[in-house]
Amino acid sequence: MRAQPISGHVFRVERTRGAVWYAKYRLPDGRQVQKKLGPAWSGRGRPPAGHFTKRSAQAWLDDVLAQARRGELQGMVATGATVADAAAEWLRWAEHDRACKPSTVTDYRHTANKIVRDLGDYRLEDVTPELLERWKTTLEASNRTIAKYLVILHGIFRRAMKVWGLPRNPAADVERPRFRVSDDIQAFSPVEVHALVRAAGSEQDAGLYLTAAFTGLRLGELLALQWRDVDFAGDVIRVRRSYNVHGGVGTPKSGKVRSVPMVPDVATALARLGEREMFTADDDLVFAGEVGGFQDATTLRERYRAALKRAELRRLRFHDLRHTFGTLAVRRAEVPAVQAWMGHADIQTTMRYVHHRDRGDEARLLAEAFRVDDPSSAPARVRS
């Protein structure tokens, strides 16, 4: 069907309760839209809210026609799809076209399911920024979680623009709530790490805690670590895989294989584990479950908390063992090296550890700058 020219006009209708301004315009597909703007205003001064003069009615229409000509007018395209359809397509695209990690897709799906429960029946063309602003106020969640919903929703509509020709992304105009990300990192000292190791319930748990704190491997990377990845001759651990209870075995979070130096304490602990009777072949797991499979992360964390209690240590998270490595490593190594060892995609993530560096040399440098060779020669203090 040939596209029709976009045009329209405003007109005034006299009613018993007063005159009303209307706008009528035609879209490229031939559809004609008639919309009531509001009561006519013929008094002096600025019209009350919601009232229109001929000039303001014409200005409203001109803005609508300009949006239509740019292809951005809400409702201009009849997609025949709902928010639920768009969410399903976006998840398919993330999993197959973008090849996101299974754990990432699982997280996306969890968030998208909440969006579909609330908005899934709406036609795509009927979703406006105003509707999303109202929906945002109904969410009983932290600002961080609400911002996450809006980020996912933005991705869903951005994909819908490509698949269904949606003219605009209504989520782009919705303001995301602010939330504070703390730079304060909790970490153990080396003395505390060894206290935790001594309080472990088994030799394998002791080796796991020590390796986590002195290599910075994530829990999923520790659970997927195989003996072939432990290079005793080269004093290095190669991080090739990660285990996620929802997504199984995949690549590390960064998607790249990396190598981490293996300090003597870790090498000794792992060598002792390698002397056990079972599960020591190259393909076996270093920190294996009872029958050689993957450990249950929930049970592992429970044992970790019990060890913390026995050692009378602060109740830090298991993930804070990774932060322990970052805070200790940055004191002796350059930031890019620590970034590579920890597998950070963005160096700004690594920069969070910089304030843990020893500052003794800097203090001595400043002391030199502030030093007075002969204090007696300094000017006398002026009394006020």
Side-chain angles (χ1 to χ4, degrees):
M1 181 170 133
R2 192 172 177 185
Q4 301 293 316
I6 297 172
S7 61
H9 65 280
V10 297
F11 58 97
R12 175 172 163 154
V13 176
E14 300 295 332
R15 296 273 178 83
T16 304
R17 295 184 178 181
V20 177
W21 279 104
Y22 282 81
K24 188 173 183 179
Y25 53 92
R26 181 171 57 192
L27 297 176
D29 60 4
R31 283 183 294 150
Q32 293 196 37
V33 180
Q34 182 170 298
K35 182 175 177 62
K36 177 182 175 181
L37 302 184
W41 173 253
S42 56
R44 295 176 176 237
R46 184 189 297 259
H51 289 63
F52 286 81
T53 63
K54 182 177 182 180
R55 176 179 292 180
S56 61
Q58 185 63 48
W60 183 94
L61 177 63
D62 291 344
D63 181 60
V64 167
L65 297 181
Q67 292 181 53
R69 293 186 180 104
R70 293 195 304 267
E72 299 175 355
L73 183 63
Q74 194 75 30
M76 184 173 171
V77 175
T79 64
T82 64
V83 173
D85 297 327
E89 162 57 25
W90 180 76
L91 287 170
R92 183 210 63 77
W93 170 78
E95 182 175 7
H96 298 288
D97 295 2
R98 286 197 64 198
C100 291
K101 291 168 60 68
S103 56
T104 301
V105 174
T106 299
D107 185 52
Y108 284 167
R109 184 170 286 109
H110 176 77
T111 305
N113 285 344
K114 165 62 177 173
I115 294 171
V116 169
R117 284 195 297 271
D118 292 351
L119 304 171
D121 292 337
Y122 282 95
R123 296 185 306 174
L124 290 177
E125 56 268 31
D126 293 338
V127 179
T128 63
E130 294 74 23
L131 185 150
L132 296 181
E133 287 285 0
R134 292 194 299 272
W135 171 69
K136 185 177 72 173
T137 64
T138 68
L139 297 174
E140 296 180 357
S142 66
N143 281 359
R144 186 187 187 103
T145 300
I146 292 173
K148 182 178 179 179
Y149 286 142
L150 293 174
V151 168
I152 298 297
L153 198 59
H154 187 278
I156 290 172
F157 277 98
R158 184 172 58 186
R159 180 65 184 166
M161 292 173 69
K162 294 184 178 180
V163 175
W164 286 282
L166 198 67
R168 60 181 297 201
N169 187 335
D173 296 325
V174 179
E175 185 173 355
R176 297 171 192 169
R178 297 182 64 181
F179 59 91
R180 183 178 179 181
V181 178
S182 176
D183 287 333
D184 187 24
I185 293 173
Q186 298 293 317
F188 291 115
S189 68
V191 171
E192 289 174 318
V193 171
H194 284 287
L196 173 65
V197 169
R198 290 193 298 271
S202 68
E203 186 175 49
Q204 178 167 281
D205 279 354
L208 178 67
Y209 305 154
L210 189 70
T211 305
F214 290 171
T215 66
L217 269 65
R218 302 176 179 92
L219 178 55
E221 296 166 348
L222 290 163
L223 294 181
L225 189 66
Q226 296 174 302
W227 285 111
R228 68 169 64 255
D229 302 324
V230 182
D231 183 353
F232 288 103
D235 293 329
V236 69
I237 291 177
R238 294 182 177 85
V239 186
R240 306 175 189 273
R241 313 187 314 160
S242 183
Y243 173 73
N244 179 278
V245 65
H246 299 293
V249 179
T251 59
K253 186 175 181 180
S254 64
K256 299 179 181 179
V257 174
R258 69 182 192 277
S259 296
V260 184
M262 182 169 54
V263 297
D265 283 349
V266 173
T268 300
L270 295 185
R272 282 200 298 265
L273 283 183
E275 295 173 355
R276 64 194 179 196
E277 294 182 0
M278 298 184 296
F279 316 133
T280 58
D282 284 350
D283 291 336
D284 286 332
L285 298 173
V286 176
F287 304 111
E290 291 184 4
V291 293
F294 294 103
Q295 290 196 54
D296 177 69
T298 301
T299 305
L300 189 155
R301 287 192 178 95
E302 290 174 354
R303 297 199 307 271
Y304 165 74
R305 287 191 289 269
L308 285 179
K309 187 175 181 179
R310 289 192 295 269
E312 299 182 348
L313 295 173
R314 295 167 292 157
R315 188 165 173 163
L316 302 189
R317 304 167 304 162
F318 188 93
H319 190 72
D320 291 324
L321 293 172
R322 174 170 163 83
H323 289 325
T324 297
F325 173 80
T327 59
L328 296 175
V330 81
R331 295 178 182 180
R332 294 292 181 268
E334 296 300 324
V335 173
V338 179
Q339 178 191 9
W341 295 337
M342 300 192 73
H344 289 153
D346 186 348
I347 198 169
Q348 292 304 316
T349 306
T350 318
M351 291 297 292
R352 295 180 302 165
Y353 300 111
V354 170
H355 70 276
H356 287 272
R357 276 186 165 178
D358 296 329
R359 300 297 185 184
D361 290 341
E362 295 177 0
R364 285 189 290 274
L365 182 66
L366 284 176
E368 290 291 326
F370 299 155
R371 187 180 65 185
V372 177
D373 291 333
D374 183 4
S376 62
S377 65
R381 185 176 62 178
V382 178
R383 295 181 178 273
S384 57

